[in-house]
Amino acid sequence: MTTPFTRDARSDAADDGDVDSLTIGRRIRQLRTERGMTLDDLAGAIGRVPSQLSMIENGRREPKLTLLQTIARALGTSLDALLESEPLDERATLEIALERAMRGQTFQALGIEPFRIGKSVPTEALKAMLALQGEIGRLNDERAATPEEARRANLALRRLMRTQSNYFAELEAQARGILEAVDHPGGPLTQRTASDIAAHLGFTLHYVPDLPQTTRSVADIKNGRLYLSSRLTSKGDPRTAVLQALSSRILGHAEPTSYAEFLRQRVETNYLTGALLIPESHAVPFLQDAKKDRAISIEDLRDAYSVSYETAAHRFTNLATEHLGLPVHFLKVHESGTITKAYENDDVNFPTDRLGSIEGQMCCRKWTSRVVFDVDDHFNPYYQYTDTGNGTYWCTARVELSSEGAHSVSVGVRFDDTKWFLGRDTSNRGVSKHSVEVCCRRAPADLEAAWRQNAWPNVRTPRTLLATLPTGAFPGVDTTDVYEFLEAHAPR
């Protein structure tokens, strides 16, 4: 299925013409051998030179139909027998598979020149070479994305989102079609409606206590069963886990073959989930009315659709520029100060690394997303104007708790667009000059002089910093646990 983020597929497989030629050639060779004919004998019987026949048998030349008919007569068989797609025996199957592998990208990348598979090559050797080729293919599927490769993939995706103003009409249409199919009337999407969507897609929901720890859900595509944890915490939204799993099926996602593809699929899944929870056709009039009243509020959007603040903030970035004409920015910052998610199309100057990536950078200590952690009142939203090197921005922020610690989620706009939002009358003010090193990237001079030579912190290194990415086709997922789980729960 084509989506806004789809990339070209790649494969080591040879094209269909090569496969047919190999199969036909091996069939000719085996029939010739069974009849006790040498290459010279058959070549003489059909009026061709042995070298030409050898190329046909090795699949390097595709014979014309008239020549195949001549070969079939010389071998005492029919044309249909030569054109059967299945090889005659295990040996022929192995030879064809290895021939195809030698013509593929894996062998070429290793610099292995194709060689003739003679009778003297043991069958066990063919099996071993194919097993090694398969393992190399598996490792390529699991190839580690270095931190730099991961950042490059993330940066490319963020740039695409920026050029689209984080709005993707194709995904909105997908959500609209699903909601119409289950007769969703608008407003908050209930747990029952989520179940109706599952049924519409051919899945039944099963809540189990032993869901693999590395997963949020597991889909048994074969039996149409979607497994979810029965141990969701009070802070968890049971609809989200269901919709994220179903979104992958709606979008026709296949097993990712690279970190970039994994990241793309995750963004698509989250976008479609948000579009189902906060439908465009209902949310846009809601936000347009709020803009007319100069009372846009992420909290109001959250409450109107019974979603988390982060979901409401994400969804606002999808719709704000396309339907309200408002460029925006979004930040999610861990309590340690690290930026974990970011989006902007309002030219706000976030810190970046040398590649231009925002995620993983330290958020300025003077920015709303960091200041909010020091605010005692976590019941009400925190608002702040921040003067930067390229203008003044206004942000609204909240702190949310998760298993990975506290995170702040903030949405902001340029000063001129503040007039449309609740909280514009705040007196909170900050100055962020993170493009200047002394703003907050270095300690004050007196502290640095006193402690630089007298301090040695033991860094609490995030697990993912040292881990290769991805560690499998689905990063962080123990596939053995998943397969054992499915085997245990599959209907008998």
Side-chain angles (χ1 to χ4, degrees):
M1 177 178 293
T2 301
T3 69
F5 304 90
T6 299
R7 68 171 180 82
D8 292 335
R10 296 175 177 86
S11 172
D12 274 2
D15 61 42
D16 291 341
D18 288 337
V19 174
D20 289 342
S21 298
L22 282 169
T23 304
I24 293 170
R26 286 300 181 276
R27 186 172 293 278
I28 292 172
R29 177 187 292 177
Q30 185 151 348
L31 288 171
R32 174 178 61 78
T33 303
E34 287 177 354
R35 284 153 176 72
M37 300 176 69
T38 65
L39 194 66
D40 288 340
D41 292 337
L42 182 56
I46 64 174
R48 301 296 172 113
V49 296
S51 60
Q52 184 179 2
L53 181 59
S54 177
M55 293 184 69
I56 292 173
E57 288 190 350
N58 289 324
R60 300 185 183 282
R61 176 173 295 178
E62 186 173 356
K64 294 182 179 180
L65 188 60
T66 53
L67 180 56
L68 281 178
Q69 290 172 331
T70 303
I71 293 173
R73 284 195 296 270
L75 292 173
T77 188
S78 66
L79 178 62
D80 289 341
L82 292 184
L83 296 178
E84 284 185 20
S85 60
E86 293 299 324
L88 290 175
D89 58 19
E90 180 190 27
R91 173 73 184 199
T93 301
L94 292 171
E95 289 183 358
I96 290 171
L98 187 55
E99 284 276 4
R100 293 175 61 187
M102 286 192 290
R103 299 181 186 187
Q105 293 180 2
T106 299
F107 272 68
Q108 292 175 8
L110 294 173
I112 300 176
E113 293 292 332
F115 54 87
R116 181 179 178 276
I117 306 173
K119 294 181 182 179
S120 61
V121 179
T123 297
E124 293 304 315
L126 300 183
K127 292 181 179 179
M129 284 185 279
L130 286 170
L132 288 172
Q133 193 268 346
E135 180 64 10
I136 292 172
R138 186 186 69 81
L139 291 174
N140 281 339
D141 286 343
E142 297 182 359
R143 60 187 177 277
T146 65
E148 181 171 320
E149 289 171 332
R151 289 198 298 272
R152 287 185 186 278
N154 187 64
L155 178 60
L157 188 57
R158 297 301 175 195
R159 284 175 173 168
L160 172 62
M161 294 165 67
R162 192 181 193 278
T163 60
Q164 297 279 120
S165 295
N166 207 20
Y167 177 83
F168 293 90
E170 298 91 340
L171 295 177
E172 299 288 353
Q174 292 273 11
R176 189 162 52 250
I178 291 295
L179 293 174
E180 289 175 354
V182 296
D183 296 322
H184 179 56
L189 188 140
T190 64
Q191 179 68 14
R192 177 176 293 181
T193 304
S195 298
D196 290 341
I197 293 174
H200 173 70
L201 296 172
F203 285 89
T204 55
L205 303 183
H206 301 265
Y207 292 88
V208 295
D210 59 338
L211 193 73
Q213 291 185 352
T214 56
T215 66
R216 295 177 180 176
S217 64
V218 176
D220 179 349
I221 301 172
K222 176 181 177 182
N223 297 297
R225 297 160 71 93
L226 179 60
Y227 296 100
L228 303 112
S229 177
S230 60
R231 298 176 178 175
L232 289 174
T233 66
S234 58
K235 293 183 180 296
D237 186 340
R239 300 170 303 169
T240 300
V242 173
L243 295 176
Q244 285 180 333
L246 296 175
S247 292
S248 292
R249 306 316 310 157
I250 294 169
L251 294 168
H253 285 162
E255 185 176 296
T257 58
S258 67
Y259 183 78
E261 187 173 4
F262 164 76
L263 188 61
R264 169 187 63 80
Q265 290 183 359
R266 188 176 67 174
V267 170
E268 288 180 352
T269 296
N270 289 338
Y271 190 111
L272 186 55
T273 297
L276 290 168
L277 288 169
I278 306 178
E280 178 183 32
S281 60
H282 304 99
V284 170
F286 176 88
L287 290 171
Q288 288 173 335
D289 287 343
K291 184 181 180 184
K292 290 177 183 177
D293 296 336
R294 296 176 180 253
I296 297 175
S297 165
I298 305 301
E299 281 78 11
D300 288 350
L301 186 64
R302 173 201 63 187
D303 295 342
Y305 292 92
S306 301
V307 295
S308 69
Y309 185 85
E310 183 177 351
T311 297
H314 264 301
R315 193 65 178 130
F316 181 75
T317 67
N318 298 149
L319 304 174
T321 307
E322 177 72 16
H323 294 289
L324 304 178
L326 298 175
V328 296
H329 64 262
F330 167 94
L331 268 185
K332 183 176 181 180
V333 177
H334 187 258
E335 58 187 336
S336 64
T338 305
I339 298 173
T340 58
K341 291 182 182 179
Y343 166 76
E344 62 82 21
N345 69 344
D346 59 358
D347 298 320
V348 67
N349 187 17
F350 288 142
T352 64
D353 62 12
R354 62 184 181 81
L355 297 175
S357 180
I358 302 170
E359 285 82 0
Q361 299 302 298
M362 292 297 292
C363 182
C364 179
R365 299 169 68 90
K366 309 296 179 64
W367 196 256
T368 311
S369 305
R370 289 288 296 277
V371 176
V372 69
F373 286 110
D374 298 325
V375 177
D376 293 331
D377 182 6
H378 285 180
F379 181 79
N380 294 301
Y382 175 74
Y383 307 109
Q384 177 179 306
Y385 289 97
T386 307
D387 297 325
T388 74
N390 62 330
T392 298
Y393 291 84
W394 171 92
C395 299
T396 174
R398 273 193 175 277
V399 173
E400 293 190 326
L401 301 178
S402 73
S403 60
E404 299 174 350
H407 287 82
S408 70
V409 176
S410 60
V411 174
V413 295
R414 293 185 291 227
F415 179 83
D416 290 344
D417 291 323
T418 307
K419 59 189 176 185
W420 309 112
F421 291 81
L422 292 179
R424 59 185 175 273
D425 55 351
T426 182
S427 60
N428 297 321
R429 199 101 187 186
V431 178
S432 174
K433 302 290 185 182
H434 59 252
S435 57
V436 180
E437 187 178 19
V438 294
C439 172
C440 63
R441 296 187 185 187
R442 292 184 60 179
D446 55 342
L447 287 176
E448 184 167 4
W451 289 104
R452 181 162 187 175
Q453 301 301 323
N454 298 300
W456 188 266
N458 185 16
V459 180
R460 185 178 179 181
T461 307
R463 175 181 60 82
T464 54
L465 184 62
L466 298 181
T468 55
L469 294 174
T471 55
F474 297 94
V477 173
D478 188 324
T479 53
T480 300
D481 280 353
V482 171
Y483 298 154
E484 288 178 347
F485 168 84
L486 288 173
E487 183 67 23
H489 285 272
R492 304 301 178 186

